[in-house]
Amino acid sequence: MKAEAYLEEVLAAFDFGAPTVGAIRFGQGHINDTFVVHTQPEDRCCRRFILQRMSAAAFRHPDQLMENITGVTEYLGREIERNHGDREREALRVIRPRNGESCYTDRDGGAWRVYPFVEGTVCCQSAETAELFAASGRAFGRFQRLLQGYPAQTLHETIPRFHDTEDRLARLKAAVKEDRLGRAAECGREIRFMLDREADCSVALQALRDGKLPLRVTHNDTKLNNVLMDEKTGEGICIIDLDTVMPGLAINDFGDSIRFGANHSAEDETDLSRVNLDVALFDTYTRAFLEGAGGTLTKQEIEYLPWGAKLMTLECGMRFLTDYLEGDVYFHISRERQNLDRCRTQCKLVSDMEEHWDELKQIVEKYSRSM
Ligand code: ADP
Ligand code: GN1
Ligand code: MG
């Protein structure tokens, strides 16, 4: 059922500290149902909260997911304080429902959570300026650094095999074979594009298996719109969307940001001539990410950064295509063929990365040498 149908029940389950005056849909995430809740305290102006129904299609165990998020946000809060930061602004904080759990389960089993709205920030859908993109890179690099000491083994795998690119390809092949909706015929070019890159799908995983890349606590969904930027200074303030914080590869956190931000087009742009990898933005982000990570990454991780970019883009393309073939059951869509269009932009970006591969390698070498 649509999330709106539960709002009355859910709003009553939390103590917002003042009467609520409404909840409206908010943001441009593809996964959760997000609302902004307005309250009206008697003596002060309106306070806002973020209310989210976690996607049941994406997350099978919301309790485990919330255990990860409460653990990570409390840890981040302490680290931020230790660094003399403002934990209320720089880290999310889970507001528990009246029953004391970490989230509220509605009458049909939907899981809902609340965070304070981080005020005075903006959420960008594209890298409007290189400075903003750099700010997001520093924030994601810092995230990596702050969580360096977090006990990774205590984290649940909220989505099994999330960035297992080999498995993503296997799932695409299965969807093509089943072709539930008869859509495979119109995606011949995209399917071939993915199959032609089967060997690539193993590059990072093999490096992990060989001990060349370490497992770290990673965010795993480092789109530009998952970092809130200070509306005045443009600084990356708070990393949000912590649903996929799990043990993973730092190169994937780097790579997903490049996939989404190092270009000037929307993820579902239909005019592919407008979809181009911006190598200068790749350079900008690399420098900022490494600066934020402050020595956390090994030389080998830095060397593999271009692979992170290519693999996250290829994998995301496969996921959009799989979802299109399966009937758009995972990524929210607002129009027909949106997931196919999203897949096509990813293919275009992968091609661009291949074309500029030597330049990308030179950029990371340049920063690796200067570290
Ligand atoms: P999804 O997984 O669906 O992307 P997100 O957790 O990223 O969900 O939230 C969707 C959008 O809601 C974000 O892109 C951002 O605009 C907004 N948002 C989420 N949390 C906060 C917060 N604490 N303060 C302000 N805005 C937020
Ligand atoms: C989803 O949740 P959101 O909108 O930030 C997805 C990412 C994809 C992204 C593509 C949990 O991100 O993995 O890369 O869409 N999140 C999940 O835009 O699957
Ligand atoms: Mg998001």
Side-chain angles (χ1 to χ4, degrees), residues 105-240:
T105 308
D106 70 36
R107 58 187 183 270
D108 289 322
W112 297 75
R113 66 171 166 231
V114 171
Y115 300 120
F117 193 101
V118 182
E119 299 290 352
T121 58
V122 289
C123 175
C124 305
Q125 302 305 326
S126 71
E128 284 153 30
T129 64
E131 287 72 28
L132 273 178
F133 195 43
S136 77
R138 273 191 297 277
F140 280 121
R142 186 166 65 236
F143 186 82
Q144 199 69 209
R145 177 164 52 81
L146 290 176
L147 288 173
Q148 228 181 136
Y150 192 85
Q153 71 286 357
T154 62
L155 287 171
H156 301 283
E157 207 180 347
T158 53
I159 302 181
R161 314 190 83 166
F162 189 55
H163 285 322
D164 180 335
T165 316
E166 292 168 345
D167 185 59
R168 293 291 185 182
L169 182 65
R171 286 198 248 172
L172 170 63
K173 286 181 185 169
V176 172
K177 195 162 172 210
E178 186 180 3
D179 195 14
R180 194 177 303 165
L181 297 167
R183 291 177 171 180
E186 72 179 300
C187 317
R189 284 228 319 262
E190 289 72 25
I191 295 168
R192 174 68 22 227
F193 186 92
M194 304 306 179
L195 294 177
D196 283 347
R197 286 158 182 78
E198 178 150 21
D200 290 345
C201 297
S202 297
V203 170
L205 292 167
Q206 194 55 44
L208 173 68
R209 291 189 282 259
D210 292 343
K212 287 186 188 161
L213 296 176
L215 263 191
R216 297 182 183 280
V217 175
T218 47
H219 184 279
N220 294 305
D221 188 3
T222 51
K223 295 201 290 198
L224 183 65
N225 63 11
N226 285 332
V227 47
L228 302 177
M229 331 288 283
D230 188 289
E231 68 184 4
K232 293 208 182 84
T233 65
E235 193 192 341
I237 295 292
C238 182
I239 303 292
I240 59 168

Side-chain angles (χ1 to χ4, degrees), residues 224-274:
L224 183 65
N225 63 11
N226 285 332
V227 47
L228 302 177
M229 331 288 283
D230 188 289
E231 68 184 4
K232 293 208 182 84
T233 65
E235 193 192 341
I237 295 292
C238 182
I239 303 292
I240 59 168
D241 206 343
L242 304 176
D243 298 322
T244 50
V245 173
M246 289 183 272
L249 297 176
I251 65 163
N252 289 344
D253 272 8
F254 169 86
D256 200 38
S257 293
I258 296 296
R259 173 191 80 73
F260 189 79
N263 63 76
H264 301 279
S265 52
E267 199 173 50
D268 61 349
E269 173 63 61
T270 51
D271 177 359
L272 291 179
S273 71
R274 300 175 61 171

